[in-house]
Amino acid sequence: MSQGVKEVGLYVRDQDEALAFYVGKLGFRVHTDVRNGDYRWLTVQHPDQPSLQLGLFKPGPPVLDEATAQTVHAIVAKGAMPPLVLGVDDCRAAYERLHAVGVEFTQEPTSRYGNVDASFRDPSGNGWKMIEARL
Amino acid sequence: MSADSASQAPELLRRLLRAKDRMDAASHEDWPVRRLARVSRVSEAHFARSFKRAFGVPPHRYLLTRRIERATALLRDTDRPITEIALDTGWESLGTFGRTFRDVTGESPGAVRARARAAAHELGRVPACFVSAAHRPDLTIAVSEKRRREATDINGSEQKEIP
């Protein structure tokens, strides 16, 4: 069995909306989508990175009480969750493709010291930096 | 986070974040409340108060910290003349830039440039976009208030906050 990080979770405001974004727009694949009552375990993975699952979780009961869930929703909507980084081969091409399908970019591709990066947010407010790293 | 901002609807916060993102993307531009309110789809009357509740600082002061952050990065990472940096980061003159920069950071732009050059690049492994954020000034009070407190000659004169 391989060791290492297997799954990292994000909080999203709506799991169907997040699924449409991460799978329909970013091109991730569904790894697991299991429901148990109101609870839904939903993870996606990058097609080039099958070893890591990205969980898309809605804060709420039974895991979190309503008040805590409301606080988490507010933190996500304010863009206060930690930065996420997506590596791409060609930042400008990825920007054109994602911008065309309506991804909300907060920074257009910018060259810095040989790297090119851009920024976008998912519908919930989670912020991604998209980086084309120098080879 | 204060209970105050937790009581704001996530849908509103998400739209306020959009105004903050727009200032981040173009901090050199003018961002009157009318323009920001339109981005967030809230009334002008509610925008500034809602923004401050959500993010802890009034929108114009947030913009100021982003301008100073960007100017600091340009002072550190480029050889461009300070006047050019001032105009590029949203100030109308070198004088206003220098005065505001000193009031916020406690140092002149030239001193920051000299010190940054002397320092080792210990943040070299952090992506450049995040390094910049690490140098953002933490402006918890209005610049006018900061000036007032630091003034040796307290004569009660009113100064307009910039920008």
Side-chain angles (χ1 to χ4, degrees):
Chain A
M1 176 183 166
S2 62
Q3 302 187 88
V5 178
K6 297 282 220 184
E7 192 268 335
V8 175
L10 297 183
Y11 280 126
V12 297
R13 64 186 182 185
D14 181 296
Q15 287 174 302
D16 287 331
E17 179 186 60
L19 191 62
F21 178 82
Y22 284 95
V23 174
K25 292 186 174 174
L26 293 194
F28 284 55
R29 293 173 185 155
V30 176
H31 181 281
T32 308
D33 188 357
V34 181
R35 294 167 197 256
N36 184 4
D38 287 339
Y39 184 74
R40 182 179 183 189
W41 175 271
L42 172 64
T43 70
V44 296
Q45 61 184 188
H46 189 281
D48 293 350
Q49 196 179 24
S51 61
L52 182 75
Q53 294 176 54
L54 185 65
L56 304 173
F57 303 118
K58 183 176 179 175
V63 178
L64 298 179
D65 64 275
E66 284 291 357
T68 304
Q70 180 68 18
T71 302
V72 174
H73 275 299
I75 290 170
V76 173
K78 290 201 284 183
M81 295 300 275
L84 301 157
V85 178
L86 182 68
V88 292
D89 289 337
D90 184 336
C91 186
R92 293 179 200 281
Y95 168 82
E96 293 301 332
R97 183 167 45 78
L98 297 175
H99 189 255
V101 295
V103 171
E104 181 184 345
F105 275 85
T106 53
Q107 179 213 302
E108 293 180 1
T110 307
S111 294
R112 302 178 218 249
Y113 317 112
N115 296 342
V116 185
D117 65 69
S119 303
F120 64 86
R121 289 197 188 281
D122 75 5
S124 301
N126 291 299
W128 285 88
K129 187 61 87 170
M130 184 166 77
I131 299 181
E132 171 189 333
R134 186 168 31 197
L135 294 173
Chain B
M1 185 171 64
S2 69
D4 196 33
S5 84
S7 67
Q8 288 177 284
E11 294 73 20
L12 170 65
L13 293 169
R14 184 66 182 84
R15 296 204 309 271
L16 293 170
L17 176 62
R18 208 157 277 143
K20 185 164 169 276
D21 282 340
R22 292 286 299 277
M23 285 194 276
D24 289 343
S27 62
H28 59 287
E29 293 181 10
D30 286 334
W31 288 101
V33 166
R34 179 163 34 89
R35 188 180 178 197
L36 293 166
R38 208 181 309 132
V39 171
S40 291
R41 292 190 285 120
V42 299
S43 73
E44 286 182 47
H46 285 114
F47 179 80
R49 198 175 31 162
S50 300
F51 187 96
K52 183 171 189 297
R53 268 179 74 187
F55 300 113
V57 287
H60 59 278
R61 200 187 304 161
Y62 178 73
L63 180 65
L64 183 59
T65 65
R66 293 312 315 264
R67 287 182 176 180
I68 297 287
E69 172 189 337
R70 186 150 168 264
T72 302
L74 291 171
L75 289 166
R76 192 184 60 229
D77 300 337
T78 74
D79 292 321
R80 297 175 54 197
I82 294 177
T83 306
E84 212 176 284
I85 291 174
L87 298 179
D88 253 30
T89 52
W91 275 277
E92 285 174 6
S93 74
L94 179 60
T96 315
F97 169 63
R99 192 164 60 97
T100 310
F101 191 95
R102 211 162 29 244
D103 286 339
V104 172
T105 68
E107 287 182 287
S108 71
V112 165
R113 171 167 271 178
R115 192 167 48 75
R117 297 237 164 116
H121 292 281
E122 69 271 16
L123 288 171
R125 292 173 62 94
V126 182
C129 41
F130 299 121
V131 171
S132 175
H135 293 282
R136 187 177 307 171
D138 186 15
L139 195 55
T140 53
I141 58 171
V143 173
S144 55
E145 174 64 10
K146 204 161 190 275
R147 282 183 187 140
R148 198 183 60 73
R149 289 186 196 174
E150 287 167 6
T152 47
D153 172 30
I154 300 171
N155 55 18
S157 69
E158 287 294 314
Q159 290 191 59
K160 191 172 176 292
E161 187 174 346
I162 293 165

